[in-house]
């Protein structure tokens, strides 16, 4: 006979333990639970195909193919198939920050400080 464990959430819902992400809050000492989502609990080596990466980024597959063609998005090609690793895509998105005017001014000041004119 197999025994299955359940966790009861604050709103009274029962969830099997293997379907729950458990988070212990150090500050409050409270135990909180939430259902697993498809993207939030992904492992670092999770990969996407063109259709799923387009959905993840909120784009059309044709836009993904355009980025691949221009070599603007990190990808792996095996035969005719394209793969995108989630951790690489997240890093690519993080590195896409646009510098503010203040950032550019700080970089210019730093350059002039190092390279006396």
């Amino acid at each position: 006979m197999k025994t299955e464990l359940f966790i009861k959430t604050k709103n009274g819902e029962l969830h099997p333990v293997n379907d729950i992400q458990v988070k212990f809050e150090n500050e409050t000492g409270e135990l909180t639970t939430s259902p697993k989502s498809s993207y939030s609990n992904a492992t670092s080596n999770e990969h996407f195909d063109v259709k799923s990466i387009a959905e993840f980024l909120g784009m059309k597959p044709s836009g993904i193919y355009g980025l691949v063609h221009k070599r603007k998005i990190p990808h792996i090609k095996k035969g005719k198939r394209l793969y995108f690793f989630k951790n690489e895509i997240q890093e690519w998105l993080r590195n896409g920050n646009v510098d503010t005017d203040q950032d550019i001014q700080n970089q210019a000041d730093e350059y002039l400080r190092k390279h006396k004119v």
Side-chain angles (χ1 to χ4, degrees):
M1 183 169 136
K2 186 177 176 182
T3 303
E4 189 166 3
L5 297 174
F6 290 86
I7 292 180
K8 188 174 185 179
T9 60
K10 289 181 182 179
N11 61 2
E13 296 177 351
L14 291 176
H15 295 280
V17 171
N18 59 349
D19 289 340
I20 298 294
Q21 175 185 359
V22 179
K23 182 179 178 187
F24 185 76
E25 300 290 341
N26 289 330
E27 299 84 19
T28 62
E30 294 178 8
L31 183 67
T32 60
T33 61
S34 61
K36 289 182 178 180
S37 70
S38 60
Y39 293 127
S40 65
N41 293 325
T43 60
S44 61
N45 62 358
E46 180 182 1
H47 65 276
F48 297 107
D49 61 5
V50 172
K51 184 178 176 183
S52 59
I53 196 66
E55 183 180 310
F56 180 73
L57 295 175
M59 298 176 66
K60 293 181 180 180
S62 59
I64 298 296
Y65 285 117
L67 291 173
V68 167
H69 177 73
K70 295 175 186 174
R71 299 183 180 269
K72 300 262 183 179
I73 188 170
H75 65 281
I76 295 174
K77 186 172 182 182
K78 289 286 190 180
K80 293 183 179 182
R81 298 194 184 269
L82 292 170
Y83 299 98
F84 305 86
F85 284 94
K86 183 174 183 175
N87 57 347
E88 292 177 357
I89 296 300
Q90 289 173 330
E91 185 66 28
W92 174 71
L93 289 171
R94 278 191 283 277
N95 289 336
N97 292 342
V98 176
D99 289 339
T100 63
D101 288 340
Q102 186 62 45
D103 293 335
I104 294 169
Q105 183 63 47
N106 291 342
Q107 291 170 7
D109 292 343
E110 182 68 21
Y111 178 84
L112 291 174
R113 188 177 60 76
K114 287 182 178 179
H115 301 87
K116 301 281 185 194
V117 181

